[in-house]
Amino acid sequence: MVARYTDVSSLGFIGLGSMGGPMAKNLVSAGHDLTAYDLDDDALEAIADAGATAATSTADAVEGAEVVFLSLPGPDNVDAVVEEIEADLEEGTILVDLTTSTPGTTEAIEDRLSDRDIDVLGAPVSGGSSGANAGTLSIIVGGDEAVFEACEPLFEVIGSDIFHVGDGVGHGHAVKLLNNYLSNIALLATSEAVILGDAAGLDRQTLVDVFSVSSGRNSANQDKIPNYVLTGEYDMGFKIGLMEKDMRLLSEFAGEQQVPMLLGHLTRDLAGYAKTKKGFDSDMTRVYDFLEEFMLE
């Protein structure tokens, strides 16, 4: 299918959490007519104050929308919402899933909606709540190139780095899961390195300063540990429970591909153990505390 829209203006948006809310607000600020729905009344009130229309149901949110965005906790939520709105989506609508989901979920949705002449893009985002607020997210898009091009002006409102990574609707979600794997394993490995160095009498700040400009540099020693661990803030805005969920989704993806992920499975186990010890809602940077307690007990 080829998208028929060259100047998309009417949008539906479902899911106004720490990522979805800011993205929706940025789309409204850019002048788009947006109708949004969330189970949280406070989130609905906030988006209405920003100039959007607050919907009373998912069906209300997608009525008349040329493009419908989903920003939900996980693939099970995506499946449930698509089931709710399937009959209400108009022919020719583009459905864009911004959720961190699995390739198989998005592919199944495309198959499910194909006879309705509805285009689907899998477009997970990376950059955290700060990137969502600033409109500087990375957006990793899988799907038909013509459909991607129709939505590209919308992606440019909510992100600064836009990638079309393949024609398969699941390709974007595959790349996102792999990216999150690298981010998570970097946090675990860097935490171990800093904890060991600290135990040996080295200054933690000096360690991350060296790592961040040397061959060991990564997002953990350039951002997460200096800005959220060493400061004692632990408020990066991403939960340990979601970190573990992302690793579980990666394991499922690897299983579907029949490719063993040795470090991937270990990372999932450590994230799950940290979630058990620190709680689902703890900031993911509390992984450092979990490892410190485990290593130095």
Side-chain angles (χ1 to χ4, degrees):
M1 290 183 288
V2 177
R4 285 159 287 282
Y5 302 116
T6 57
D7 185 21
V8 175
S9 60
S10 179
L11 310 178
F13 205 106
I14 300 174
L16 299 171
S18 62
M19 299 291 287
M23 287 189 281
K25 288 179 182 178
N26 286 335
L27 289 165
V28 173
S29 295
H32 293 289
D33 178 13
L34 184 143
T35 301
Y37 179 72
D38 194 275
L39 295 174
D40 185 338
D41 289 338
D42 290 339
L44 282 175
E45 183 177 352
I47 196 65
D49 289 343
T53 300
T56 57
S57 65
T58 53
D60 187 22
V62 305
E63 183 179 359
E66 297 166 300
V67 177
V68 173
F69 288 99
L70 305 181
S71 180
L72 300 166
D76 290 344
N77 308 93
V78 173
D79 278 336
V81 168
V82 170
E83 184 174 356
E84 286 182 17
I85 65 175
E86 181 176 1
D88 301 299
L89 293 169
E90 297 184 7
E91 290 191 1
T93 301
I94 302 173
L95 180 67
V96 181
D97 185 17
L98 304 166
T99 309
T100 298
S101 186
T102 63
T105 299
T106 319
E107 291 161 1
I109 289 170
E110 180 186 44
D111 290 343
R112 181 172 177 173
L113 299 177
S114 60
D115 64 350
R116 296 280 316 287
D117 199 19
I118 295 169
D119 291 304
V120 176
L121 293 177
V125 300
S126 181
S129 55
S130 60
N133 280 290
T136 58
L137 293 167
S138 296
I139 307 176
I140 309 162
V141 188
D144 184 273
E145 187 170 5
V147 183
F148 163 73
E149 290 175 354
C151 292
E152 193 170 11
L154 301 175
F155 294 141
E156 289 172 348
V157 172
I158 61 177
S160 57
D161 295 294
I162 319 297
F163 301 94
H164 181 237
V165 297
D167 289 335
V169 295
H171 287 163
H173 285 114
V175 174
K176 175 63 189 302
L177 292 177
L178 295 171
N179 174 78
N180 283 13
Y181 163 58
L182 293 175
S183 173
N184 292 338
I185 201 169
L187 176 58
L188 292 167
T190 304
S191 294
E192 282 193 320
V194 173
I195 292 164
L196 175 58
D198 184 40
L202 297 166
D203 179 70
R204 296 189 302 171
Q205 183 63 58
T206 300
L207 285 169
V208 296
D209 288 345
V210 172
F211 297 157
S212 67
V213 296
S214 303
S215 59
R217 62 186 176 273
N218 58 56
S219 60
N221 53 51
Q222 292 182 315
D223 177 32
K224 295 183 181 73
I225 291 180
N227 292 329
Y228 303 103
V229 174
L230 300 188
T231 61
E233 298 294 330
Y234 296 100
D235 61 351
M236 197 192 82
F238 194 80
K239 299 175 181 179
I240 285 181
L242 296 179
M243 176 184 180
E244 188 271 338
K245 180 214 71 173
D246 288 351
M247 294 311 305
R248 173 171 50 80
L249 296 182
L250 175 75
S251 294
E252 293 174 6
F253 171 52
E256 291 168 359
Q257 301 301 311
Q258 298 185 333
V259 175
M261 293 282 287
L262 301 181
L263 290 177
H265 292 307
L266 178 59
T267 302
R268 175 190 174 179
D269 290 344
L270 287 170
Y273 196 7
K275 179 188 73 172
T276 299
K277 290 293 185 180
K278 294 298 177 181
F280 185 101
D281 292 332
S282 293
D283 194 85
M284 73 177 296
T285 51
R286 288 286 179 186
V287 163
Y288 182 96
D289 290 351
F290 157 73
L291 288 171
E292 187 173 48
E293 292 163 7
F294 179 80
M295 294 168 68
L296 303 181
E297 65 179 3

